[in-house]
Amino acid sequence: MPKGKGAKGTKVSLKTAKKAIRMTPDGQRKLTLSNMGLTSFPKCLLKLTNVDELDLSRNLIQKLPDNIGNFSSLRWLDLHSNKLESVPESIGNLVGLTHLNLSNNRLNSAGLPSTLGSLTNLKSLNLGMNQLDALPPTLVALNNLQELGLFDNLFIKMPEFVKVLRNLTKVNVKRNPLSYAQGDGKGMLKKKAEPEEDVYLVHESGLCTTCLKKCKAEMERLITEGQRGRGVRGSCDGDILEEKRIRTFSGLMAPNSVAIVNQDVWRIRGKVEY
């Protein structure tokens, strides 16, 4: 697709957008405008309310329109690697969304609206590579969520709602300053979690009998080691052993989920590849 040039970035017309729509193998209408040098959300796209999948990743978009919720048929929205600082509340109207990728932007916790909790059909939510240290508590309503990306953020503890999402099987919190407490409660010392260990959140119903037995045996072994640690070195070591089992998670690979360079450098590399 040809790219326009100018100080205000690439312009996309309605005609150009319509020509860019393709049918996916499963019959979805997908519009891809990735790596186009867009500095703003093309307003003409709001007229294409019958699009099922929209990819605006790897651009320079700083703001989404307040009426983005008008994409009533949208099932897949990819906005990774832009310059977004906030998300409009109307995104909660996209109740049909199953996949939402907001990774590698400039989002902080104040920029995430509580209406994200209305996206109850979400199966995958990628918020990695931002500046988040907390999430809206309304996300506890995302009962269908299976994959959650929180890597490369500022979290010092896991969001509480993660514990109650029954269908959640993959959580990526690598490269966060997660911490655990050491001590007897007086003058607690916080230590950074080591990100090397990889643990998957898997519900028992998703395991075969053999794997379930192995997991339970490993859990019992860790508990036993923790109890021995309490007897020899005090109670704190056992707690640390238990915390090690749950403090980091992997999976949820995104196009940029393993990037370690900053956003602008990564984008330049993407353009060269393109």
Side-chain angles (χ1 to χ4, degrees):
M1 183 178 298
K3 298 181 181 180
K5 295 182 179 180
K8 294 184 178 180
T10 303
K11 297 294 183 180
V12 175
S13 66
L14 180 60
K15 181 179 180 180
T16 301
K18 287 182 177 180
K19 288 184 177 180
I21 296 175
R22 297 290 183 270
M23 296 296 293
T24 64
D26 57 347
Q28 302 296 304
R29 293 166 56 87
K30 182 174 183 178
L31 173 57
T32 301
L33 296 174
S34 177
N35 201 24
M36 292 282 293
L38 301 174
T39 57
S40 60
F41 188 97
K43 294 181 179 180
C44 65
L45 300 186
L46 296 172
K47 298 180 181 180
L48 302 175
T49 55
N50 60 342
V51 171
D52 303 301
E53 301 182 8
L54 178 60
D55 183 357
L56 287 170
S57 63
R58 303 186 186 187
N59 282 295
L60 305 167
I61 299 173
Q62 300 181 31
K63 184 179 180 181
L64 297 177
D66 292 334
N67 55 348
I68 193 173
N70 291 349
F71 281 100
S72 56
S73 64
L74 209 58
R75 300 292 179 267
W76 190 300
L77 179 57
D78 192 347
L79 294 164
H80 84 260
S81 304
N82 278 281
K83 294 188 175 183
L84 297 174
E85 296 183 358
S86 63
V87 178
E89 292 187 0
S90 65
I91 198 169
N93 295 333
L94 303 178
V95 293
L97 271 185
T98 59
H99 294 76
L100 176 59
N101 191 347
L102 293 169
S103 64
N104 196 24
N105 277 282
R106 299 176 176 178
L107 298 170
N108 57 35
S109 297
L112 293 182
S114 60
T115 53
L116 282 175
S118 300
L119 305 179
T120 54
N121 285 307
L122 270 186
K123 295 180 179 179
S124 175
L125 176 59
N126 196 341
L127 297 171
M129 296 184 73
N130 281 291
Q131 302 166 23
L132 305 171
D133 57 10
L135 296 178
T138 54
L139 297 191
V140 70
L142 303 184
N143 293 320
N144 290 306
L145 196 64
Q146 300 173 9
E147 301 179 348
L148 177 61
L150 301 176
F151 51 90
D152 293 288
N153 275 290
L154 304 174
F155 292 96
I156 60 174
K157 64 178 182 179
M158 288 287 291
E160 290 295 325
F161 69 83
V162 170
K163 302 175 183 177
V164 300
L165 294 180
R166 184 175 181 82
N167 290 309
L168 191 62
T169 57
K170 294 181 181 180
V171 181
N172 188 341
V173 290
K174 284 188 174 183
R175 295 178 294 278
N176 275 277
L178 293 172
S179 59
Y180 59 87
Q182 177 175 297
D184 57 1
K186 298 179 180 179
M188 298 291 276
L189 175 64
K190 296 259 182 164
K191 280 192 173 184
K192 286 186 177 180
E194 301 171 9
E196 289 77 19
E197 293 187 30
D198 296 336
V199 181
Y200 283 87
L201 286 177
V202 181
H203 194 266
E204 290 184 2
S205 61
L207 296 174
C208 65
T209 302
T210 302
C211 292
L212 182 58
K213 287 181 179 179
K214 289 182 179 179
C215 288
K216 288 185 175 180
E218 180 66 12
M219 183 181 297
E220 291 177 359
R221 184 184 68 80
L222 289 171
I223 291 175
T224 300
E225 289 182 1
Q227 292 173 342
R228 289 175 181 173
R230 290 187 182 95
V232 177
R233 297 178 295 276
S235 62
C236 65
D237 290 350
D239 295 334
I240 293 172
L241 282 172
E242 184 175 356
E243 180 67 23
K244 282 184 178 180
R245 290 186 286 126
I246 62 173
R247 69 171 180 256
T248 58
F249 308 88
S250 64
L252 199 69
M253 298 300 292
N256 59 324
S257 64
V258 294
I260 58 175
V261 295
N262 65 46
Q263 175 174 268
D264 293 326
V265 174
W266 186 86
R267 182 180 292 106
I268 291 173
R269 290 181 180 178
K271 286 185 176 181
V272 173
E273 294 173 1
Y274 180 81

